[in-house]
Amino acid sequence: MESNHWAIYLGSFIALGFILWTATRRMRYIAAAANVVFAGAMTFLLLSWRYSAGVGWFPPLYMGDRWTIRAFGWQLFALLLLIAAASAAVGLALALYQERGSLFRARTMAQTSLREAEVDLIVEQERTRIARDLHDVLAHSLAVIAAQADGTRYLSTDQPKAVLNALENISTSARSALVDAQRVIEGVRDDGMVTPQPGLNDVALLVERMQGSLAIEQSESGAPVELSAGQQLAVFRIIQECLTNALKHGGRGTTVRLHLDWSGPGLTLHVASGIPAAAEGPDPAAETRVGRGLAGMRERAHLAGGWLTAGPDGEQYRVTVFIPFGAMTAGSAATGEDSRAVPAVPAGRTPAHAQMALEEAGQRG
């Protein structure tokens, strides 16, 4: 071939290869169609005597463009399309190779993530199973111990003081251990560390945080007594649930009265909130949610050794909680006598209740 500039026409085909390698699907179709048009235009420019006159590829052309294009046009057009197809094949091969590498990397990452998720799931399932089994074992065993001790203490008031004190200590320790065990089980994070649990000191911060949404009136009577960590957690969670329910059912601006009474044999908590005119009662779904609503509050109060009542009271919804504590009564404090000498029956319980609890615990045992 003679010296000429015909190679400049290959730039379009090289661009086609890069487009098929890196561009989108729509741009690939546009580039392929455009290169077919380019190949036809190049055929004319290479064969026409006005421009290239065959550029040395063909015999001397003296009979005009029509005869030349008719004789050699399809050959040159096919050759240009072949060059374009080769460039396109290289571009597609590079694109497929890159896509295959991306798929391999994505598959590897997916497999790694799946293995990590499986490990996390196994660990979480095992932790949940252990926590559930531990809770079931402790709840049954400690509940039986507490019920047996209470029942024996209530039915054996003629026993020596040392025996009654020992039974009371057994019952109190069993309830405290049950609450603390539940606190530990609920407070374990994914990394195995125990999260700090709130207590009575955090109630003021909770009320302050909710003041922007509720009109909370907090009061207190009597001399505060130190409660166990589990009992403090139970009181905090019950107050938190009451404020949350007041906001959820009553809306913003609902008046809530919160009173802590330390004057009795235990802490008595009163929470009263307004009932909306359209409300007919508490949310029935709250009773069925595990660890939520009234069912969760009753369970917390029960595990803390007390009880809880809740329900509408006129135009208010009232929650009353009693959490017993080991303290001296006012009369015994004046005389210097230890109130633990006489076993105190928690509010709401009678010897008949103790007898029933003792018989039920004996049947479970």
Side-chain angles (χ1 to χ4, degrees):
M1 295 185 292
E2 298 178 356
S3 176
N4 55 71
H5 303 288
W6 64 268
I8 195 173
Y9 295 109
L10 299 181
S12 174
F13 304 138
I14 296 175
L16 174 63
F18 278 98
I19 291 174
L20 294 181
W21 179 15
T22 60
T24 60
R25 182 185 298 272
R26 180 172 178 270
M27 185 58 66
R28 289 175 178 178
Y29 287 128
I30 294 176
N35 271 267
V36 174
V37 177
F38 292 162
M42 294 173 196
T43 301
F44 176 79
L45 293 175
L46 288 172
L47 293 178
S48 175
W49 64 272
R50 297 181 180 87
Y51 299 98
S52 301
V55 293
W57 289 29
F58 303 98
L61 307 176
Y62 304 111
M63 302 182 65
D65 292 344
R66 178 177 299 180
W67 184 88
T68 302
I69 294 174
R70 182 182 300 174
F72 304 106
W74 290 107
Q75 301 177 27
L76 183 56
F77 183 69
L79 176 62
L80 294 177
L81 290 182
L82 181 62
I83 297 174
S87 300
V90 173
L92 289 175
L94 291 174
L96 292 175
Y97 178 79
Q98 185 176 4
E99 183 178 0
R100 182 182 180 186
S102 300
L103 291 176
F104 273 115
R105 287 192 296 270
R107 185 182 66 178
T108 303
M109 293 178 61
Q111 290 175 347
T112 303
S113 301
L114 181 60
R115 284 194 296 267
E116 293 176 354
E118 289 178 351
V119 172
D120 294 340
L121 180 60
I122 293 173
V123 171
E124 185 65 26
Q125 289 177 344
E126 186 66 15
R127 183 183 291 116
T128 303
R129 185 188 63 81
I130 294 174
R132 184 175 61 249
D133 294 344
L134 180 61
H135 179 270
D136 292 342
V137 171
L138 288 178
H140 174 72
S141 302
L142 295 177
V144 170
I145 294 173
Q148 293 279 6
D150 283 339
T152 304
R153 181 161 55 95
Y154 298 151
L155 297 178
S156 303
T157 56
D158 55 344
Q159 294 293 328
K161 181 176 68 175
V163 175
L164 296 177
N165 290 341
L167 292 173
E168 182 181 4
N169 290 334
I170 292 173
S171 174
T172 303
S173 299
R175 287 196 177 91
S176 178
L178 182 57
V179 176
D180 292 338
Q182 186 185 30
R183 175 177 61 86
V184 172
I185 292 172
E186 292 180 350
V188 174
R189 297 198 305 258
D190 291 340
D191 56 1
M193 300 299 294
V194 177
T195 58
Q197 297 296 325
L200 288 178
N201 295 331
D202 300 307
V203 173
L205 182 61
L206 174 64
V207 172
E208 180 181 357
R209 190 166 58 244
M210 297 289 291
Q211 282 288 4
S213 303
L214 299 171
I216 304 176
E217 302 174 5
Q218 184 179 0
S219 59
E220 193 172 0
S221 62
V225 177
E226 185 69 21
L227 300 177
S228 66
Q231 290 178 324
Q232 293 188 38
L233 175 63
V235 173
F236 179 87
R237 294 303 186 193
I238 290 174
I239 294 176
Q240 185 181 43
E241 184 68 22
C242 290
L243 296 180
T244 303
N245 287 339
L247 180 61
K248 179 172 63 176
H249 298 293
R252 298 178 62 88
T254 301
T255 301
V256 179
R257 291 200 297 271
L258 173 64
H259 181 73
L260 284 78
D261 184 10
W262 300 90
S263 59
L267 170 62
T268 304
L269 173 65
H270 301 279
V271 183
S273 59
I275 300 178
E280 299 179 358
D283 184 6
E287 295 287 348
T288 60
R289 290 195 294 267
V290 179
R292 296 290 192 273
L294 297 179
M297 292 193 293
R298 287 196 180 98
E299 182 66 16
R300 289 188 181 275
H302 174 70
L303 293 176
W307 47 264
L308 179 145
T309 60
D313 184 11
E315 297 180 357
Q316 294 182 337
Y317 192 84
R318 187 178 302 276
V319 177
T320 303
V321 184
F322 177 79
I323 305 295
F325 52 79
M328 298 177 61
T329 62
S332 61
T335 59
E337 298 178 354
D338 190 349
S339 64
R340 290 176 297 177
V342 179
V345 179
R349 294 180 180 268
T350 63
H353 289 87
Q355 175 67 21
M356 294 173 62
L358 179 61
E359 293 177 355
E360 181 181 0
Q363 294 175 359
R364 293 181 179 178

